Amino acid sequence: MATDPLSDILRLTHAESLVTGGFSAGGAWAIRFPAPTTIKFFAIVKGHCWVSIDGEKDAIRFEKGDVGLLAAPRSFIVASDLNQAPVDAMSLFSGAGKSATQIGDGEDLAYIGGHVRLDAASGPLVANALPPWIRIDAATTQATAFRWLLTQLVDERSDVQLGSQLASAHLAQLLFIQILRAHMESAAVMSPGWFRAMSDGRLKPALVLMHGDPARNWHLDELADACAMSRTTFASRFRTAAGVAPLTYLGEWRMRLAQQALRDSTTPVAVIAQSIGYTSESAFSNAFKRMTGHSPRDYRNANRPEDERGIDEADAFEFSSELN
């Protein structure tokens, strides 16, 4: 299977989607949700409602099958009638283990919500690339996939069977990916960054090459040829979309891979350097310090669990060699 840059980034940031609750409602009602500390998503399974997000001038109407995503730490109100005094969501879901509730007769609307966990160190790579909020209309080309996923999520949560917890987690992950795909295919104006670059089909071949073999000494001509563009046109288009030049993007991606390896493994710095295309440890260390402000070893020590900080890298390599 060809390299998939979006999957690369979601894996790097340990993106994990979870459905955490929901409610049904009838009559006149309004609920205020606090500003989320993670990316939040929600879907309207039945009926319709209004969503008013702090900082936005106009409320947004959500219909059955519509999906919303909130990446900014803003509170918001979900309501049948925005003139109603909103009830604090925390009071509705405050019972021990309580993840769902009913307002009124519960006949008019069904809502499910969840959030996306991201790695604390690398998570901003995803969170900062998204707009403050996204609404995916049930009438989009992704609607069929959304309808199926929402139906399955509701079934898994209402009729708990063996494996339901894991099934719900995988369905929520698919829902998040579909939201990202739908937004990429939309006509929405995006800020420069990796998300916008991946949304540009003309640039995809270059991104696939760089993510597929980040250690290779890619030349601008090779990347431009893969996109069937002249060197100048490709460089200009890539910079406009990504906000950086192609080879700068490659260098930054290499450093993110290095950060992950330094945090999550005891692989020697020299080996990490070679794995991402540096011919010497010193060249890698200088590049890493320019980007992060820290040497690779200082970064590793600062990001190690407390009980591992006394383990010297050479000792770790020696121990690994003995195991092999």
Side-chain angles (χ1 to χ4, degrees):
M1 184 178 291
T3 299
D4 174 0
L6 178 58
S7 293
D8 275 354
I9 288 175
L10 294 181
R11 278 192 294 265
L12 179 79
T13 57
H14 301 291
E16 179 186 9
S17 307
L18 300 168
V19 173
T20 52
F23 66 90
S24 58
W29 55 273
I31 305 172
R32 174 175 284 278
F33 289 86
T37 56
T38 58
I39 296 173
K40 182 173 180 63
F41 63 85
F42 58 88
I44 308 305
V45 179
K46 172 185 175 182
H48 63 268
C49 63
W50 291 95
V51 177
S52 176
I53 302 170
D54 281 3
E56 298 296 325
K57 180 180 178 182
D58 299 318
I60 310 131
R61 184 179 171 92
F62 277 74
E63 303 281 352
K64 177 181 177 181
D66 290 353
V67 178
L69 183 142
L70 186 66
R74 301 184 189 178
S75 60
F76 62 101
I77 295 172
V78 180
S80 65
D81 180 358
L82 290 171
N83 291 317
Q84 288 284 120
V87 175
D88 179 46
M90 301 306 290
S91 66
L92 289 175
F93 299 98
S94 60
K98 192 175 181 182
S99 63
T101 192
Q102 179 177 311
I103 301 170
D105 60 17
E107 292 297 318
D108 298 337
L109 177 122
Y111 167 112
I112 58 173
H115 62 260
V116 182
R117 292 176 180 166
L118 297 169
D119 177 71
S122 57
L125 182 62
V126 169
N128 294 343
L130 297 173
W133 62 273
I134 295 171
R135 172 181 171 271
I136 304 299
D137 195 304
T140 64
T141 56
Q142 300 285 345
T144 301
F146 282 131
R147 280 195 295 271
W148 183 86
L149 287 168
L150 293 175
T151 299
Q152 295 300 312
L153 274 169
V154 170
D155 288 348
E156 291 292 343
R157 290 181 63 79
S158 60
D159 181 19
V160 179
Q161 305 176 58
L162 293 174
S164 287
Q165 188 176 27
L166 186 58
S168 293
H170 284 302
L171 289 166
Q173 193 80 340
L174 282 171
L175 181 61
F176 178 53
I177 291 170
Q178 289 291 352
I179 293 171
L180 297 181
R181 286 174 173 173
H183 186 60
M184 283 181 171
E185 293 175 7
S186 73
V189 177
M190 301 180 195
S191 300
W194 67 263
F195 196 74
R196 179 172 165 182
M198 288 184 187
S199 302
D200 187 334
R202 294 287 307 279
L203 297 176
K204 182 179 177 180
L207 289 164
V208 168
L209 289 176
M210 288 189 282
H211 279 260
D213 191 0
R216 178 170 168 173
N217 183 26
W218 290 105
H219 296 286
L220 196 59
D221 290 338
E222 295 176 288
L223 299 174
D225 287 346
C227 297
M229 298 182 202
S230 70
R231 176 188 172 113
T232 302
T233 301
F234 167 71
S236 175
R237 185 172 182 133
F238 194 101
R239 181 184 284 276
T240 298
V244 294
L247 298 184
T248 301
Y249 175 93
L250 175 61
E252 291 178 350
W253 178 243
R254 286 172 169 175
M255 290 300 112
R256 293 190 184 281
L257 293 175
Q259 286 176 304
Q260 182 184 48
L262 289 165
R263 288 195 307 269
D264 300 345
S265 76
T266 56
T267 304
V269 172
V271 176
I272 294 173
Q274 186 177 27
S275 72
I276 59 171
Y278 285 85
T279 56
S280 72
E281 181 179 340
S282 61
F284 163 68
S285 296
N286 289 335
F288 189 89
K289 190 166 186 177
R290 280 197 303 272
M291 176 181 169
T292 68
H294 303 281
S295 71
R297 286 184 175 79
D298 287 345
Y299 181 88
R300 166 170 275 167
N301 286 330
N303 287 277
R304 272 184 185 174
E306 290 290 340
D307 58 349
E308 293 181 10
R309 291 186 184 178
I311 301 175
D312 183 80
E313 184 182 71
D315 293 338
F317 179 61
E318 208 171 288
F319 178 65
S320 174
S321 299
E322 288 175 3
L323 291 178
N324 295 327

